[in-house]
Amino acid sequence: MAASLTSRLNLLRTHHLHLPTISRYLCSFSLNSSSTSTTTTKPSLPPLQPSHDADLISNILIEHHNPFHAMESSLQLYGISPSSSLIHQTLIRLSHLSKIAFSFFSYSLTSYPSSVDITSFNIIIDILGKVRQFDVIWQLILKMETLNLKPQNSTFLIFIRRLIAANFTRQAIRVFDDMPCFIETEVCKDDYVYVIDTLCKYGYVKVAMEFFNKRKSQFEVCVKVYGVLIDGWCKLRRVDMGEKLLREMIDKRIEPNVVCYNVLLNGICRKSSLHPDDRFQRTIRAADKVFDEMRERGIEPDVTSYSIVLHVCSRAHKPDLTLDRLEMMKAKGVSPSVATYTSVVKCLSSCGRVEEAERLLNEMVDNGVTPTAATYNCFFKELRGRNDAEKALSLYRRMKKEGLCVASLHTYNILVQMFVKLNKMEVVEEIWNDMKEAGAGPDLDSYTVLIHGLVEKEKWKEACEYFVQMIEKGFLPQKITFEMLYRGLIQADKLRTWRRLKKKLEEESISFGSEFEGYHLQPYKR
């Protein structure tokens, strides 16, 4: 950080001592990601890193940016000239606030174009893709040409992922075909596999198969592609298609690896119906058959293989069998992973055996396995069902104090929903502030959960305040949120409040277009 910038920021600190520092890394965990290892290399974006200056700037923008005016305020008044790394870290902190993030990016692009690099474009493309501003993304890609910045493969792969997530699969494939016109390097096999993987992850396996068949002559067919496709079919409960692909690759003399068998095992276990009990027994027998085939081909099951079977026992709510399988796994010399422990913790918690789950949590730590937010979420979901606010708050504060991991956005949303329901608004405020300090959110789900809870408790003032805040920060409320708030205000004889709220939304819609003049940014309408 340049000394001049630091000195200017130091002058601001006396005015912003109350602003918290976002210096923690986000941590998240998905059982699915550990159970199948077909994940391709994702387009790289810089991680969240400790940066007091980025914390300060993002907080200034969040607290002082006027949503009805272009970004002329905070940064221009203070004369801040951001570097490339500062732009990256600030955008990451604003990733859940698309409108403010884009305002900051546009300001940086206009005032300090030399500090805006390809990574800056990649981050803002990812942010805008989340809110489906695809016309703007194309404009930004074309604008890169005018700045002598050649888009990279990662730029288009980020764009493609967001298009697929928004159900625009054909457009995503066209973007893949257009890549060679923009990038300097050739489209490689990893890019091809990434598109197939993304299509499968979002459930478009038929489209992925069509894409695979049409282009397999251009790219080398490898075990990784087959693993991704097998995983895709298995996630759609088409294990028969997964097995067919496995036989096809064997016929083509492409030797399957442990990953291919794990995704097939995952398909057999994860999506199967486990009730009545004979279905569960049938699933376990099918899984054991896959284990036998693996060993016949000289492939030794790994921790993921055992974890998948253990997880199906957890899903069937068989805590004793789950614990037995865990001990059997240890006896085989396979050390449990965080996914393994989390499956058992989830089973014990959902079966009401919270004390045993806590002992297992302590065992994890003693064995050097760091619990994740997903592990703690198992406890919070059970405690939410019991309305046990005291224990949930105690565990949450212990989680913060020990610092083994940072709560995920899902963790915060579970707790916000729980404590709003129990009318403990001082705790909700604490958790909401923690979520903002950690840089984890709030996101659309956070606002939706909070507003719905406030409406149910007839806290109209707070509900309207958060509703307006959500709009100002670039989130488009769901239709049910509009209807719930409108119906509640009318029934509470607060028609004037609704009219003021509606007027504010109309003002936002009108000013939205003027603020981003020159971009095809869509206003918020329902």
Side-chain angles (χ1 to χ4, degrees):
M1 199 65 238
S4 58
L5 174 57
T6 304
S7 62
R8 282 197 294 271
L9 290 172
N10 284 333
L11 295 175
L12 302 181
R13 289 180 179 125
T14 56
H15 300 290
H16 297 278
L17 289 175
H18 65 287
L19 296 177
T21 300
I22 309 171
S23 59
R24 287 174 257 164
Y25 289 88
L26 299 180
C27 88
S28 61
F29 175 76
S30 168
L31 288 172
N32 291 332
S33 65
S34 63
S35 63
T36 56
S37 307
T38 61
T39 305
T40 56
T41 304
K42 290 185 178 181
S44 58
L45 289 173
L48 179 69
Q49 295 178 342
S51 171
H52 184 82
D53 296 331
D55 293 341
L56 186 60
I57 291 174
S58 59
N59 276 295
I60 289 171
L61 296 180
I62 292 168
E63 298 295 330
H64 301 292
H65 173 56
N66 189 328
F68 300 108
H69 297 89
M71 184 163 296
E72 59 190 19
S73 53
S74 310
L75 296 181
Q76 290 178 346
L77 286 173
Y78 294 127
I80 293 173
S81 54
S83 65
S84 294
S85 61
L86 183 57
I87 290 174
H88 301 164
Q89 290 303 313
T90 305
L91 286 173
I92 291 168
R93 285 158 172 77
L94 299 173
S95 60
H96 295 289
L97 308 169
S98 58
K99 191 178 176 187
I100 298 178
F102 189 51
S103 292
F104 173 70
F105 176 83
S106 300
Y107 164 77
S108 302
L109 192 61
T110 303
S111 304
Y112 306 97
S114 60
S115 296
V116 179
D117 57 10
I118 290 173
T119 304
S120 305
F121 274 94
N122 285 355
I123 296 171
I124 196 63
I125 284 171
D126 188 53
I127 292 170
L128 292 172
K130 290 177 186 177
V131 290
R132 303 188 178 197
Q133 299 289 356
F134 300 123
D135 288 340
V136 185
I137 291 174
W138 268 122
Q139 285 184 275
L140 292 175
I141 289 173
L142 295 173
K143 198 174 191 69
M144 292 173 74
E145 297 281 338
T146 65
L147 298 173
N148 294 321
L149 291 173
K150 271 284 184 183
Q152 295 178 339
N153 299 49
S154 58
T155 308
F156 282 92
L157 294 181
I158 291 167
F159 188 13
I160 287 167
R161 175 160 54 92
R162 292 303 174 192
L163 281 166
I164 293 171
N167 304 331
F168 297 121
T169 55
R170 302 299 173 188
Q171 292 87 332
I173 291 171
R174 283 202 295 271
V175 169
F176 178 81
D177 292 334
D178 289 340
M179 279 175 63
C181 302
F182 293 89
I183 61 177
E184 292 179 336
T185 58
E186 291 185 2
V187 178
C188 63
K189 183 182 73 174
D190 286 343
D191 301 332
Y192 167 68
V193 176
Y194 180 80
V195 175
I196 294 174
D197 183 41
T198 308
L199 285 166
C200 289
K201 276 188 170 60
Y202 285 96
Y204 302 105
V205 187
K206 289 183 179 178
V207 180
M209 284 296 296
E210 182 185 331
F211 181 73
F212 166 71
N213 289 324
K214 284 184 178 179
R215 289 166 176 79
K216 61 184 176 183
S217 59
Q218 298 173 241
F219 302 96
E220 178 190 357
V221 178
C222 60
V223 65
K224 195 171 187 179
V225 177
Y226 274 107
V228 166
L229 290 169
I230 292 169
D231 189 33
W233 281 118
C234 287
K235 284 178 178 175
L236 292 183
R237 302 189 182 188
R238 291 296 306 276
V239 179
D240 58 322
M241 289 298 296
E243 290 175 339
K244 182 181 176 182
L245 283 171
L246 184 67
R247 304 303 161 216
E248 180 184 310
M249 64 185 293
I250 292 172
D251 292 342
K252 291 184 177 180
R253 297 186 179 180
I254 300 174
E255 190 63 26
N257 56 19
V258 69
V259 174
C260 294
Y261 280 106
N262 281 349
V263 295
L264 184 62
L265 195 61
N266 187 58
I268 291 169
C269 294
R270 293 277 175 160
K271 297 293 184 179
S272 58
S273 176
L274 304 178
H275 302 284
D277 199 56
D278 63 318
R279 290 183 178 177
F280 168 72
Q281 297 297 336
R282 193 161 59 241
T283 300
I284 292 296
R285 285 196 297 270
D288 289 339
K289 187 177 177 182
V290 175
F291 271 70
D292 293 339
E293 183 179 332
M294 290 172 72
R295 292 191 176 102
E296 285 174 8
R297 302 192 70 87
I299 300 171
E300 194 61 34
D302 62 4
V303 62
T304 302
S305 312
Y306 286 103
S307 297
I308 292 168
V309 177
L310 192 145
H311 184 67
V312 80
C313 298
S314 171
R315 279 181 54 228
H317 299 290
K318 296 185 180 294
D320 293 327
L321 181 58
T322 305
L323 290 170
D324 288 343
R325 286 270 175 169
L326 179 65
E327 293 305 317
M328 186 189 305
M329 178 181 172
K330 293 176 185 176
K332 292 275 188 181
V334 180
S335 300
S337 66
V338 64
T340 315
Y341 277 117
T342 301
S343 291
V344 184
V345 166
K346 182 178 182 180
C347 180
L348 294 172
S349 299
S350 62
C351 293
R353 294 161 67 165
V354 179
E355 291 74 18
E356 289 180 74
E358 287 178 349
R359 285 197 292 272
L360 196 63
L361 182 66
N362 294 329
E363 180 187 314
M364 285 178 68
V365 177
D366 293 340
N367 291 340
V369 180
T370 304
T372 65
T375 314
Y376 285 100
N377 289 350
C378 299
F379 291 99
F380 291 131
K381 287 176 183 177
E382 174 62 20
L383 296 172
R384 178 182 62 183
R386 295 183 181 189
N387 290 330
D388 193 342
E390 186 178 343
K391 192 156 191 174
L393 187 58
S394 173
L395 182 61
Y396 171 66
R397 286 173 175 165
R398 173 190 160 191
M399 179 183 173
K400 284 200 302 179
K401 184 179 178 181
E402 292 178 354
L404 291 175
C405 84
V406 181
S408 68
L409 185 55
H410 187 45
T411 309
Y412 291 118
N413 289 345
I414 292 170
L415 293 171
V416 166
Q417 185 181 37
M418 175 182 180
F419 287 109
V420 169
K421 181 182 175 183
L422 297 175
N423 206 24
K424 294 185 176 293
M425 298 311 297
E426 69 285 350
V427 181
V428 172
E429 187 176 355
E430 175 191 339
I431 294 167
W432 193 265
N433 290 334
D434 287 345
M435 175 168 51
K436 292 198 290 186
E437 288 174 25
D443 68 347
L444 176 60
D445 289 340
S446 310
Y447 279 109
T448 301
V449 164
L450 181 57
I451 291 168
H452 286 200
L454 291 170
V455 168
E456 287 174 4
K457 296 297 178 184
E458 299 186 358
K459 295 182 178 293
W460 306 115
K461 181 182 177 183
E462 294 88 343
C464 291
E465 285 175 356
Y466 281 107
F467 186 80
V468 171
Q469 188 183 117
M470 173 170 57
I471 290 287
E472 290 177 349
K473 291 189 175 179
F475 295 111
L476 176 58
Q478 297 176 14
K479 187 177 181 180
I480 189 173
T481 308
F482 274 95
E483 292 174 348
M484 179 179 280
L485 188 57
Y486 171 73
R487 187 166 55 249
L489 288 171
I490 297 302
Q491 290 175 354
D493 197 25
K494 294 186 178 293
L495 183 60
R496 185 177 298 177
T497 303
W498 170 252
R499 284 173 179 163
R500 284 201 300 267
L501 190 63
K502 189 170 181 291
K503 182 180 178 183
K504 195 169 185 67
L505 296 179
E506 289 170 351
E507 289 173 355
E508 170 71 5
S509 180
I510 293 168
S511 65
F512 200 100
S514 61
E515 177 172 354
F516 299 106
E517 194 170 352
Y519 292 97
H520 302 303
L521 212 59
Q522 298 298 315
Y524 299 113
K525 291 181 180 178
R526 279 289 186 193

